[in-house]
Amino acid sequence: MFNSDSNSKPVSAKLPKSIGMMVEKGNLVMAIKTLAQDENISMDAAKLRVDAYETEIKNKQHQNLTTIANRQGIPNEALSFDREPEVETTTETLVKHRVKTTKSEQGFKSLQRGVDSKLDDIGYKKPLIPYLAKRLLVIAAIMAGLFWILWRVFG
């Protein structure tokens, strides 16, 4: 892509940080006007740069979502950003497209397995005695010691 200006430099998707934030928030008109004023370029050239930046952001988001979906085992066909969701109201189609729900215990167990596998991947080893049990043992030992001292003093 080239600008319509006479210098014909290639369009770069790199934008100043403030304009990038405007694009990310969806304020495209203000981003184009500000870019055109700040860099003293035409509105068409600014629009091309903003569109290129917006496309780059969408591609990165799509790539991130795809990698996350692949890690979780979700097929790529389920991640379609181009189509509109189908709205069907007949009872036959509602029965056909029913969403399956999982029990909360199954969800928790799968979450726990995922956390355990992630901890194994980074090389974390679980302690033999959990932190809470150590804390309770220390508190019990202190209470037993205080009880014994008070027994000896007042008993």
Side-chain angles (χ1 to χ4, degrees), residues 105-116:
E105 295 103 23
Q106 290 177 346
F108 181 73
K109 286 180 182 177
S110 65
L111 176 65
Q112 196 171 20
R113 274 182 275 148
V115 169
D116 288 342

Side-chain angles (χ1 to χ4, degrees), residues 1 3 20 71 80 101 104 110 112 134:
M1 269 192 223
N3 288 340
R71 287 181 188 164
S80 178
T101 59
S104 62
S110 65
Q112 196 171 20
K134 286 181 187 177

